[in-house]
Amino acid sequence: DDDAPPPVCLDQNVRVQASSMIVEGTARSQPIGHGLFAKKSLKKDSVVISTPLFPIHRKELKIRISNDGIGGVDMYHQQQLLLNYAYGHPRSNLLLLPFGPLVNYINHHSDDANVAIQWHEISAATSSGDRQDYHHSELFELSGEKVSNTHGKGLMMDFVALRDIKEGEELLLDYGPEWREAWAEHQRTYEQQQHQDTNYMSAQDYAEIYNTNENEAPIIRTLEDDDVPYPDNMSTECFYHGLRKQDYKAFEGDQIIYGSWEDHSSHFCFLPCQVLSRDDETNTYTVRFSASDNYLEIPKCRLKHGVQALELNDVPYDGIRVVDKPFTTDMFMNSAFRHEIGVPENFFPEQWMKKKLRHKGQEKEEKDRTFTRKTNKSTREESIGLEEFLANVAEKSHDEKGNSEESVSSATEE
C-alpha cells in the first residue's frame, strides 16, 4: 500500500551498551552500568525515541505484607523498586510508567543532559494508527485519580534532543531537583543502612558462581553438608505434586506422609523444603515439606487434615532450587533507593495535581484575619453610623430650634 505510513523501527536511532559514566555524587569511581547511545547523528529538537505510558496511582506501588501471610499486622511497608522507573511530580499521586523498549536505559545527568521529555505529537508522515489510538489526550482533562482508574487508555511520551547529538554519544536526561536531592541523601546514608552482612549474596549470584560443572561441589546442600552451609538469606524450595484425597485417606491419622517424587508425572507445587540426604549413585535427593510453610502456598498445595510433614525421595536435581528467603532481597532493603524520575514543572496538567490542603494553624490564622476584618468593618460601620446619628440629631435640633423661634416670633407679633 503506497499510502501506508512508513514502518517505525524501535531502535533505528539508539542502541544499548555499557556506559563509561560513573555514578554522580559518589566519592569513588563506580560504573553506572548500561546506557542508551545514539546509533547515528541526531539533530536538535528531533524525536530520539518514544514510549507508551501506563498511568498508575502511587499507592499501587506500596508493598504490604502480613505476618501471617493472610491479613494481620504488617511486617513490611515500603514502595516497590519499580518506582525508580516511573515518572511523576511531587504534587501529584499519578505516576507514569513507561513500557516501551530501551527508554529505561536513559541515565541521569544534571549538567550534561542532551534529551528532554515532551508529550507525543502525532505526525501523519511518521505515525501509525496504533500510536494515534494509544495516545488518549482526553486524559489531560481528568483528575489524576480518575486517570489512574481509567483502564484501556494510555499516553505517549517523546524523548527530544536538546542539541545536536553525535553518533556514539550517550543519551542523558535530567531527572529533576527532587530526584537529585533524594539521591544525595541516599549516598550520604547508604553506607550506614546497607545490609549488615558484608558478604551478602543473592541466590541468583550464588547459583552463577557454584552451578558450573559436574566436577565442582554440587550446589544442593543437605543436612549432611554442615561444613558448607547456605548463607543466612537463602533456603531451598522444591517442586512436587499436591497431595490428593486418596493420599490423605491412605495415610489417615499419620502426621508424616512418605512417598516418591516419581509417583506423579507433573509437579506444579513449589514450597520451601529441607534437603535431608543425597543418593550419589542416582544423584537424587530426599526432601521434607513442612506444614508450617503452608501460608506461603496456594490452597491446593498445602498440607491438610493434620498432616505435619511430607517426605519424598527420588527428587531429581532439577526439582530443587536455591532461593532467597522471603523479605531478604534488595526490594525489601530499607536502604534501597526509591524515587520516581521527575517531570518538568508544567508537564502535568493542573487537574492531575493534588489539591493544596490547609493545615490547622493556617486555617486558624485565616479565620483570625477574617474576624479582624469583620470586626474592623463593623467598628467602622458603627463609627460611621454614630457620626450620622449625631449629625441627624444636631440637624433635627437645629430645625426644632428654628421652628420654636418662629412660633415665639409669631406670638409676640400677635
Side-chain angles (χ1 to χ4, degrees), residues 272-292:
C273 63
Q274 189 177 30
V275 183
L276 303 179
S277 61
R278 176 176 54 249
D279 186 332
D280 292 330
E281 292 184 3
T282 60
N283 195 27
T284 59
Y285 298 82
T286 299
V287 304
R288 172 180 287 186
F289 300 92
S290 173
S292 62

Side-chain angles (χ1 to χ4, degrees), residues 152-163:
K153 292 184 178 182
L155 295 162
M156 292 283 293
M157 183 173 72
D158 295 334
F159 290 82
V160 181
L162 292 175
R163 55 173 173 77

Side-chain angles (χ1 to χ4, degrees), residues 361 363-374:
E363 291 179 350
K364 182 178 184 302
E365 184 179 347
E366 291 186 359
K367 286 181 180 179
D368 290 344
R369 287 201 300 268
T370 303
F371 177 76
T372 302
R373 286 196 299 270
K374 288 183 177 180

Side-chain angles (χ1 to χ4, degrees), residues 243 247 251 254-261 263 276 286-288 307 309-313:
L243 294 177
D247 296 323
F251 293 91
D254 294 344
Q255 291 190 336
I256 301 179
I257 295 180
Y258 299 89
S260 172
W261 200 79
D263 290 341
L276 303 179
T286 299
V287 304
R288 172 180 287 186
V307 175
L310 168 67
E311 283 193 16
L312 296 179
N313 53 29

